[in-house]
Amino acid sequence: MLTLLAVLEILPRTGLVNPRFTPPLSTVLRALFTELIPGNAFWSSVGNTLLTWAIGLGVVIVSGLITGVLVGAIPLLRTLTTTTVEFLRPIPSVALIPLAVLLFGPDMRATLILVVYAAFWQVLVQVLYGVRDVDPIAAQTARMYRFRPLTRVLRVIWPTALPYVMTGFRLGASVALILEITGELIIGSPGLGRQIAVAQSSGAVAPMYALVIVVGLIGVAVNLAARAAERRALRWHPSVRTEVA
């Protein structure tokens, strides 16, 4: 890491790369510290980005869980929806940008559409895998004892599906952040992505790189938080117990 930081500082100063487009690391860090001053637009942009990301991820988790459990637990629904899921899932979320802009313009809701659409499939597919992995003998025993549907979900399906759900949560959190920044860059909805686009178009190269660093740090924080939540939720699971040991 120290070597990389040194290279980023030395290359522009030696002229091996054009400092106009790739300023020294020290210049970028000074721009970053300037952005961090309280009261700057930077903080409202961070708030907008995290708010839209959190709302989108919340919608995805709830809708993905409910849909996945219903479709996975009912064979007829699984048969009827397989073709639809396989058709819609490969469609890239950025293809929805024209529709989102027509509906909402450069508004938070336009980016929210992209976030929800992209992350939903990450959660749904994992939940479907989890429900499908339920032990047939356990499922049959629950039916023989006439468990209520909610009891069957909580006692039979949930313990098996939870590792898959947490994987979907971790993947969905990362994908949601990626699409959040992408939507802000392209659509111009409020957030760090729009601030990066404005800095780039105005020639403020150092602030642009500073904002990119912030986005990268947020991505690392999201991944670490998702992994911590996964370990906490699965502390009883053999894989987590082995990892901790």
Side-chain angles (χ1 to χ4, degrees):
M1 177 60 72
L2 292 177
T3 302
L4 175 61
L5 296 178
V7 169
L8 293 176
E9 178 68 27
I10 293 171
L11 286 182
R13 295 191 179 280
T14 57
L16 294 176
V17 297
N18 191 338
R20 178 183 176 186
F21 303 112
T22 310
L25 179 62
S26 58
T27 304
V28 174
L29 293 179
R30 280 197 299 272
L32 176 59
F33 291 139
T34 301
E35 293 289 342
L36 295 177
I37 295 175
N40 280 351
F42 166 81
W43 293 107
S44 61
S45 296
V46 171
N48 288 325
T49 294
L50 294 180
L51 176 63
T52 309
W53 169 81
I55 293 174
L57 187 60
V59 171
V60 163
I61 295 298
V62 174
S63 59
L65 276 175
I66 295 174
T67 306
V69 171
L70 287 176
V71 172
I74 302 175
L76 178 60
L77 278 180
R78 187 165 60 242
T79 302
L80 292 176
T81 58
T82 297
T83 303
T84 304
V85 170
E86 294 303 322
F87 171 75
L88 293 176
R89 188 161 63 99
I91 298 176
S93 296
V94 291
L96 300 178
I97 288 178
L99 174 62
V101 173
L102 284 174
L103 291 174
F104 301 113
D107 187 79
M108 180 188 79
R109 292 171 293 178
T111 304
L112 192 60
I113 291 177
L114 307 184
V115 171
V116 171
Y117 185 85
F120 174 76
W121 303 111
Q122 306 294 328
V123 176
L124 176 64
V125 170
Q126 291 297 324
V127 174
L128 290 175
Y129 285 151
V131 175
R132 190 180 305 172
D133 198 38
V134 172
D135 188 350
I137 296 177
Q140 186 176 3
T141 302
R143 285 193 296 270
M144 290 177 59
Y145 280 95
R146 297 181 180 179
F147 282 9
R148 294 179 179 180
L150 182 59
T151 303
R152 191 182 306 173
V153 169
L154 294 178
R155 300 296 184 184
V156 179
I157 295 176
W158 184 247
T160 301
L162 184 56
Y164 295 89
V165 172
M166 295 309 300
T167 299
F169 166 72
R170 178 162 45 83
L171 295 175
S174 299
V175 170
L177 182 61
I178 293 171
L179 266 298
E180 173 66 24
I181 299 300
T182 302
E184 292 169 356
L185 276 167
I186 299 176
I187 297 174
S189 53
L192 286 172
R194 184 173 73 175
Q195 202 169 352
I196 291 173
V198 170
Q200 184 270 332
S201 61
S202 61
V205 179
M208 181 192 73
Y209 282 115
L211 294 171
V212 170
I213 291 175
V214 171
V215 171
L217 292 176
I218 292 176
V220 172
V222 165
N223 187 58
L224 292 176
R227 287 189 176 276
E230 183 178 24
R231 286 194 298 269
R232 182 174 179 82
L234 299 176
R235 58 186 180 276
W236 53 270
H237 198 267
S239 62
V240 175
R241 290 206 305 260
T242 304
E243 181 181 333
V244 172

